[in-house]
């Protein structure tokens, strides 16, 4: 997992919960990296899961909620990596339909070692989009948060439903 996902996570915890909690998280989570992430480095995604799991212990906020909140925080920051890429799209559904075929393809060119999920369109209507999230990493709620962050970016109101399907996750977005 790219370092930017870790550095922005610490930024969010610091902004929303204070820097003492960042210190406590780094001190009390077993991390190979010892907490010294750089945005261009690449780290084991299980370190992020361990950090989120400890944040849950310290705050009592459910893990899925923490991942969702983090996705919302992360979207505008990811959008900053390649603003010209985001500017191609005029609304949430247009962007979501291109995450797999355009956005993450460009991300992979920028960071050849990026580990990205797969999104398949299950159905697409004017007010409803069903996407299948497939990844060997358990970040469906991060995806939900990123979609909410993206909706906010376009000033759109949506509701999102997450449904586990065997190994994959069905994400239904209604606007
Ligand atoms: C709403 C739109 C998007 C969704 C739903 C989405 C979803 C995700 C998810 C769920 C991951 C975590 C990895 C995994 O689950 O296997 C991820 C990773 C990532 N995405 Fe996206 N993404 C979106 C838009 C973007 C944009 C706009 C950018 C930047 C231009 C971007 C760049 C990245 C990067 C850099 C990673 C980290 C890869 C790694 O850790 O190796 N994403 N994305």
């Amino acid at each position: 997992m790219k370092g930017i996902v870790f550095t922005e996570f610490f930024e969010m915890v610091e902004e929303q919960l204070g820097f003492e909690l960042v210190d406590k998280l780094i001190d009390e989570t077993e991390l190979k990296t010892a907490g010294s992430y750089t945005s261009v480095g690449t780290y084991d995604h299980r370190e992020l899961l361990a950090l989120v799991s400890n944040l849950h212990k310290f705050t009592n906020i459910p893990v899925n909620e923490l991942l969702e909140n983090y996705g919302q925080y992360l979207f505008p920051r990811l959008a900053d990596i390649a603003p010209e890429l985001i500017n191609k799209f005029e609304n949430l559904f247009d962007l979501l339909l291109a995450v797999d075929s355009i956005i993450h393809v460009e991300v992979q060119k920028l960071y050849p070692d990026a580990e990205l999920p797969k999104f398949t369109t299950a159905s697409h209507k004017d007010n409803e989009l069903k996407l299948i999230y497939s990844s060997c990493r358990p970040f469906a709620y991060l995806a939900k948060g990123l979609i909410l962050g993206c909706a906010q970016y376009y000033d759109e109101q949506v509701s999102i439903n997450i449904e586990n399907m065997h190994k994959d996750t069905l994400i239904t977005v209604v606007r």
Side-chain angles (χ1 to χ4, degrees), residues 21-34:
L21 202 59
V22 174
D23 284 350
K24 189 171 152 86
L25 262 183
I26 293 172
D27 283 351
E28 296 186 23
T29 312
E30 230 176 89
L31 299 167
K32 265 200 222 119
T33 325

Side-chain angles (χ1 to χ4, degrees), residues 1-6 41-43 45 74-75 77-83 85-86 92 95-96 99 103-104 106-108 110-111 113-119 131 133-151 171:
M1 176 155 262
K2 293 308 297 174
I4 185 175
V5 185
F6 289 86
T42 301
Y43 309 93
H45 74 273
L74 187 60
F75 181 82
R77 280 144 169 106
L78 287 180
D80 273 350
I81 295 178
L85 202 60
I86 305 301
L92 173 68
L95 186 142
L96 288 179
V99 170
I103 297 177
H104 279 172
E106 292 304 316
V107 170
Q108 196 85 65
L110 230 78
Y111 306 118
D113 57 351
E115 299 170 318
L116 296 157
K118 178 135 197 62
F119 289 100
L131 295 173
Y133 164 87
S134 325
S135 173
C136 44
R137 294 163 295 279
F139 290 122
Y141 279 84
L142 183 71
K144 181 183 178 192
L146 285 163
I147 297 170
L148 286 169
C150 185
I171 305 180

Side-chain angles (χ1 to χ4, degrees), residues 5 8-9 12 16 48-49 52-53 55-56 61-78 133 138-152 158-163 169 171-173:
V5 185
E8 293 297 342
F9 176 75
M12 178 190 73
Q16 299 182 355
L48 185 69
L49 293 173
V52 172
S53 159
L55 188 58
H56 157 67
I61 303 169
V63 165
N64 288 346
E65 209 175 297
L66 289 170
L67 283 172
E68 184 179 321
N69 289 344
Y70 177 46
Q72 253 176 292
Y73 179 91
L74 187 60
F75 181 82
R77 280 144 169 106
L78 287 180
Y133 164 87
F139 290 122
Y141 279 84
L142 183 71
K144 181 183 178 192
L146 285 163
I147 297 170
L148 286 169
C150 185
Q152 251 160 13
V158 288
S159 63
I160 301 176
N161 185 56
I162 299 279
E163 215 176 299
T169 308
I171 305 180
T172 306
V173 188

